[in-house]
Amino acid sequence: MKKCCPGLPIAFVVIFAIGAFLYYQYAFTSVSKINFNEDSFYQYQENTMSLFEPKSSQYKLCFYTSSTPQSTEFLRKNTQENIILLALDLYQQGRNAKKDVYNLVELRISSVLMLKLIHEFDVRRLPQCFLLNQESKNSKLYISLKENGIYKLVNFKENKNKE
């Protein structure tokens, strides 16, 4: 007796491999992570530079450039009463001139870390902000869900309620 579909197992393996690849792409690239144990962030406190230690469960990370005059207005617009704004200047000038913005921590990082974060958060335009939430198992790990991929579909109700 002749088999009906001898190519079926090969097609199943190919479809399974493609499905596994797509799941990997969406599951691991749709979440941006910052680990404060591995990466060093510095802040100015009382005219000295010190290591930034996260104490809150939620932050708002903003990438901006201090070369534009609208940067102070952008930071002021994105501050909220209960969420601390972590500001990363692309030029790393260290002006520290935004004393009038409430709940603002200006951070300084290395160039290697800046490139890593730009890639991790997929920063394509400036200024841009991301909401960081503390991971429940690791107090130094903060995650941000990207606006694309399967997490956008899963968290549709949550995102709709925020607006």
Side-chain angles (χ1 to χ4, degrees), residues 44 64-67 89-96 108:
Y44 282 107
Y64 77 101
T65 175
S66 60
S67 66
D89 183 12
L90 185 69
Y91 286 101
Q92 301 283 317
Q93 292 182 357
R95 289 185 187 172
N96 206 16
R108 304 289 173 257

Side-chain angles (χ1 to χ4, degrees), residues 2-137:
K2 195 173 183 182
K3 285 188 174 181
C4 173
C5 302
L8 183 65
I10 293 172
F12 177 74
V13 169
V14 170
I15 291 172
F16 179 77
I18 291 171
F21 174 75
L22 291 176
Y23 172 77
Y24 171 80
Q25 287 291 29
Y26 281 119
F28 294 107
T29 61
S30 292
V31 176
S32 299
K33 298 179 182 179
I34 293 180
N35 192 343
F36 286 97
N37 280 334
E38 296 173 0
D39 301 325
S40 298
F41 293 82
Y42 298 97
Q43 67 179 354
Y44 282 107
Q45 284 184 332
E46 301 166 1
N47 296 331
T48 61
M49 190 179 290
S50 63
L51 187 64
F52 174 74
E53 292 289 329
K55 294 178 177 78
S56 178
S57 63
Q58 193 175 43
Y59 289 103
K60 193 170 194 180
L61 177 68
C62 289
F63 293 89
Y64 77 101
T65 175
S66 60
S67 66
T68 61
Q70 300 90 354
S71 63
T72 304
E73 184 59 35
F74 170 77
L75 293 174
R76 187 177 294 117
K77 187 173 74 172
N78 279 292
T79 56
Q80 298 173 351
E81 290 182 20
N82 55 352
I83 298 177
I84 297 173
L85 184 74
L86 302 177
L88 282 174
D89 183 12
L90 185 69
Y91 286 101
Q92 301 283 317
Q93 292 182 357
R95 289 185 187 172
N96 206 16
K98 287 136 185 97
K99 296 283 188 193
D100 57 337
V101 180
Y102 180 70
N103 273 350
L104 174 72
V105 177
E106 285 191 276
L107 297 176
R108 304 289 173 257
I109 57 176
S110 68
S111 299
V112 174
L113 182 56
M114 179 66 83
L115 291 174
K116 176 184 167 188
L117 291 177
I118 288 172
H119 176 70
E120 181 78 23
F121 286 91
D122 197 26
V123 176
R124 302 266 186 220
R125 59 181 169 78
L126 288 176
Q128 194 170 6
C129 291
F130 302 93
L131 190 64
L132 298 174
N133 293 311
Q134 188 178 30
E135 184 70 27
S136 60
K137 296 176 185 172

